[in-house]
Amino acid sequence: MRSGVEMVLNTDHGHPRERLNGTAHSRIYAALKQALMNGDFVPGQRLVVRAIAERFETSAMPVREAFRQLVSDEALFDHPNRGVIVPEATVEIIADIARVRCSIEGAAAEWAASTITAQELAAIEAINERMGDCTVRGDTADYLALNRTFHFAIYAASRSATLLPIIERLWLRAGPWLNIMRNEATLGLGLDHHLEVLEALRRGDGRAARRAIAADISDAADIILRAAGGAHQGQIDTVRRVGRPGRRRKVV
């Protein structure tokens, strides 16, 4: 598996390239945000200024500025002994973030059902098809990056400039835990919910779109919580109740 630092500069990840223009600081900040949301870094991982600076062929200053901004976003943590690390979390925190995500991202999907265009829907369907191709190839890195693109394309269709930054901050905190999903056993889990949300969006059924997004999030949270501290069944059940009882089917 490639390291998180190596993945930072891979801005393609199998989906339409996200251009990282602007100052060195803004480019590094945007790339690190993308990597965190894609699950390219793992909880507890230390980020080294020199390594990031070398990858970007820049000085240490813009990297430190990007780190400071991400610490402010609660996406990174400045540990007194270890330096800047990807935050670790208790199962309670993971469950709470998942519960909030179900509510907020579900609302975005519900709103999108009444505002999404045919062109946007076709593009999202194409992204989901590429995710299916990833399951055939066993390509977990591209799969997780495409998963983020799929979700945010739906949320962008909600036409809420206020909601998107809130969702982004939640993904910055939740993204590193997606590394647990980076294996063949879990690759493709959730694609059934993607098909459900796409069908709901085609019908303009906002409530069904909300339920499908919440089920997608809660099923992933179920796996992550079990891996993080499997005995905490109460937290798992809390997340499931926001969506619906878990149905983890692999679709290829």
Side-chain angles (χ1 to χ4, degrees), residues 113 121 196-209 211:
L121 186 55
E196 289 166 1
V197 72
L198 286 169
E199 179 58 32
L201 292 172
R202 287 189 207 100
R203 300 194 310 267
D205 188 340
R207 295 177 67 180
R211 287 195 301 270

Side-chain angles (χ1 to χ4, degrees), residues 151-225:
H151 279 263
F152 276 86
I154 293 171
Y155 306 150
S158 72
R159 306 291 187 267
S160 175
T162 302
L163 202 57
L164 281 175
I166 297 172
I167 295 173
E168 188 174 85
R169 285 180 69 97
L170 290 168
W171 274 65
L172 281 171
R173 297 185 65 187
W177 292 96
L178 291 175
N179 246 288
I180 292 171
M181 311 291 288
R182 200 183 287 276
N183 63 73
E184 291 187 4
T186 56
L187 187 64
L189 295 176
L191 285 182
D192 55 336
H193 297 312
H194 285 198
L195 295 176
E196 289 166 1
V197 72
L198 286 169
E199 179 58 32
L201 292 172
R202 287 189 207 100
R203 300 194 310 267
D205 188 340
R207 295 177 67 180
R210 175 192 280 268
R211 287 195 301 270
I213 285 291
D216 187 22
I217 295 168
S218 62
D219 276 8
D222 183 336
I223 296 168
I224 292 167
L225 284 165

Side-chain angles (χ1 to χ4, degrees), residues 41-45 86-89 176-177 179:
F41 295 110
V42 298
Q45 181 175 345
V86 179
E88 298 179 279
W177 292 96
N179 246 288

Side-chain angles (χ1 to χ4, degrees), residues 62-141:
V63 178
R64 291 195 180 98
E65 288 296 324
F67 282 3
R68 275 194 284 270
Q69 193 167 353
L70 287 164
V71 169
S72 177
D73 292 339
E74 297 184 314
L76 296 177
F77 175 64
D78 193 357
H79 194 283
N81 299 318
R82 298 174 57 196
V84 174
I85 65 170
V86 179
E88 298 179 279
T90 64
V91 290
E92 289 82 7
I93 291 173
I94 297 168
D96 190 45
I97 291 172
R99 181 174 57 179
V100 174
R101 286 186 59 208
C102 285
S103 179
I104 293 179
E105 294 175 42
E110 182 172 0
W111 299 349
S114 62
T115 54
I116 195 167
T117 67
Q119 184 178 7
E120 288 171 328
L121 186 55
I124 296 167
E125 289 172 336
I127 294 166
N128 201 54
E129 289 175 3
R130 293 175 70 184
M131 291 181 69
D133 293 340
C134 286
T135 66
V136 176
R137 299 195 309 269
D139 189 340
T140 56

